[in-house]
């Protein structure tokens, strides 16, 4: 059976709209490497679809985008699509997760790993990004959001290359750190320097739970 | 002045340096710079979160932690 990944990317407010468009390069990268990407986008981002695709398609990696909390991650229109309280959370056994959402490493990630998921990469605090409001209709072109979202995509692309969860986390953090230092340099604009604390927060919040040697 | 008021003033001044065309996505919402400033001044949950992020950053900047490799 060929390797596959499953992606959720709701699109119903400005934050999810940005995550939606910034996930596209990961899908393209996956296709280039002949790794099947099941794409649950927009209204398709439902609990029913996530559970059904996981059960039937057996994806090795699940990449979740959307709003989150310590206990859950949501899909389209704030529907809770995966939560600590799920009775059947062990259905995600052997999956590697990357959750680009707020706080979900605190409890949801722990619960998934304790119930058989191989690993969970996520954030213990809010995942934060700045954006330039002039780019609201073309998020992928936003040079401000790029500082925050491009390094987070690296978690996935490094995993798709067959590297371990530990390496994916490290490379992503190295990229964030590089951007962070760029923002801090004297050549950087004033607005750049003032965004640096928030990128620093993302660096400190990103963690790997479970098997750090896990790979696709 | 209590340390918290000092920090609040520092954070507000730093936020004011952000240009108005920037918005921040944090938690389940997106905020303008003005909204961030108000939240810090009013001591809301968001404001306290912003102050926590700034304090953490300033401490790591002062300790040199931000220049260390992992």
């Amino acid at each position: 059976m060929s390797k596959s990944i499953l992606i959720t990317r709701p699109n119903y407010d400005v934050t999810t709209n940005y995550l939606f468009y910034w996930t596209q390069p990961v899908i393209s990268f996956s296709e280039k490497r002949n790794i099947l990407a099941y794409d649950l986008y927009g209204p398709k981002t439902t609990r029913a679809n996530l559970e059904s695709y996981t059960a039937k398609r057996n994806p090795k990696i699940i990449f979740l985008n959307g709003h989150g909390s310590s206990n859950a991650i949501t899909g389209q229109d704030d529907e809770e699509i995966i939560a600590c309280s799920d009775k059947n959370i062990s259905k995600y056994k052997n999956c590697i997760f990357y959750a680009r959402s707020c706080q979900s490493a605190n409890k949801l990630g722990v619960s998934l790993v304790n119930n058989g998921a191989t690993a969970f990469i996520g954030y213990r605090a809010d995942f934060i990004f700045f954006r330039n409001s002039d780019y609201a209709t073309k998020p992928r072109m936003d040079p401000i959001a790029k500082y925050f979202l491009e390094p987070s995509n690296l978690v996935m692309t490094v995993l798709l290359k067959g590297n371990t969860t530990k390496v994916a986390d490290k490379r992503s953090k190295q990229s964030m750190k590089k951007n962070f230092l760029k923002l801090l340099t004297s050549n950087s604009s004033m607005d750049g320097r003032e965004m640096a604390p928030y990128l620093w927060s993302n660096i400190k919040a990103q963690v790997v739970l479970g098997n750090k040697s896990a790979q696709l | 002045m209590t340390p918290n008021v000092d920090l609040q003033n520092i954070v507000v001044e730093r936020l004011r340096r952000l240009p108005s065309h920037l918005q921040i996505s944090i938690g389940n919402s997106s905020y303008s710079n003005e909204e961030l400033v108000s939240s810090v001044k009013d001591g809301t949950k968001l404001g306290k979160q912003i102050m926590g992020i700034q304090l953490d950053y300033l401490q790591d900047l002062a300790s040199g932690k931000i220049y260390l490799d992992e």
Side-chain angles (χ1 to χ4, degrees):
Chain A
M1 189 186 289
S2 62
K3 291 172 182 172
S4 65
I5 65 170
L6 177 58
I7 294 167
T8 66
R9 47 174 185 148
N11 186 359
Y12 60 98
D13 61 17
V14 69
T15 301
T16 54
N17 184 247
Y18 261 68
L19 298 181
F20 176 90
Y21 282 104
W22 275 91
T23 299
Q24 188 58 51
V26 174
I27 295 168
S28 303
F29 188 84
S30 182
E31 286 167 354
K32 275 184 195 165
R33 297 191 69 87
N34 293 317
I35 296 165
L36 194 54
Y38 297 109
D39 181 18
L40 300 181
Y41 60 91
K44 289 185 175 181
T45 315
T46 62
R47 170 184 285 273
N49 278 340
L50 175 62
E51 293 183 351
S52 167
Y53 272 78
T54 302
K56 291 177 185 167
R57 311 293 182 184
N58 199 27
K60 187 75 187 284
I61 299 175
I62 299 179
F63 178 24
L64 302 166
N65 292 274
H67 293 303
S69 65
S70 288
N71 296 304
I73 292 173
T74 60
Q76 188 73 6
D77 299 326
D78 279 335
E79 179 193 358
E80 211 170 73
I81 59 171
I82 184 168
C84 289
S85 55
D86 291 354
K87 286 177 186 167
N88 53 359
I89 202 163
S90 59
K91 71 162 54 178
Y92 298 106
K93 195 177 175 183
N94 300 326
C95 291
I96 297 170
F97 283 85
Y98 173 44
R100 185 155 56 184
S101 66
C102 296
Q103 300 183 20
S104 57
N106 287 324
K107 291 181 184 170
L108 176 62
V110 173
S111 181
L112 283 164
V113 168
N114 287 344
N115 284 281
T118 307
F120 184 97
I121 303 176
Y123 300 88
R124 289 200 187 279
D126 283 348
F127 178 80
I128 302 169
F129 65 92
F130 274 87
R131 61 186 181 83
N132 182 334
S133 53
D134 297 340
Y135 288 82
T137 57
K138 42 190 174 183
R140 278 290 311 287
M141 305 297 286
D142 188 336
I144 297 296
K146 187 177 179 179
Y147 282 108
F148 295 81
L149 297 176
E150 199 170 60
S152 65
N153 276 353
L154 212 51
V155 172
M156 281 304 296
T157 54
V158 172
L159 283 173
L160 288 168
K161 285 179 182 173
N163 292 291
T164 64
T165 48
K166 182 181 177 179
V167 170
D169 174 59
K170 187 178 177 182
R171 297 247 179 99
S172 165
K173 282 179 177 165
Q174 284 171 336
S175 176
M176 281 193 271
K177 186 79 179 283
K178 192 176 165 187
N179 284 353
F180 170 75
L181 292 174
K182 254 190 230 173
L183 291 173
L184 277 186
T185 58
S186 55
N187 289 333
S188 176
S189 62
M190 186 64 84
D191 52 316
R193 284 199 292 277
E194 295 310 327
M195 289 189 296
Y198 305 91
L199 190 51
W200 183 244
S201 174
N202 285 352
I203 294 171
K204 292 184 78 170
Q206 186 174 301
V207 292
V208 183
L209 307 175
N211 186 350
K212 292 180 173 60
S213 302
Q215 56 196 132
L216 182 64
Chain B
M1 253 189 207
T2 65
N4 273 347
V5 173
D6 285 340
L7 178 64
Q8 192 178 46
N9 289 338
I10 291 169
V11 172
V12 165
E13 287 312 308
R14 292 178 67 98
L15 289 171
R16 282 188 172 141
R17 290 189 216 167
L18 283 165
S20 58
H21 65 272
L22 292 190
Q23 299 252 325
I24 187 172
S25 281
I26 182 169
N28 287 346
S29 298
S30 186
Y31 302 94
S32 68
N33 190 23
E34 281 177 17
E35 288 171 317
L36 290 185
V37 168
S38 297
S39 69
V40 172
K41 280 182 169 177
D42 296 343
T44 65
K45 188 180 171 189
L46 173 66
K48 287 175 184 167
Q49 184 180 2
I50 296 296
M51 283 178 60
I53 289 168
Q54 291 278 354
L55 181 61
D56 195 42
Y57 165 75
L58 291 170
Q59 286 171 338
D60 288 344
L61 188 69
S63 69
K65 192 174 176 181
I66 63 167
Y67 301 106
L68 299 176
D69 289 328
E70 265 195 275

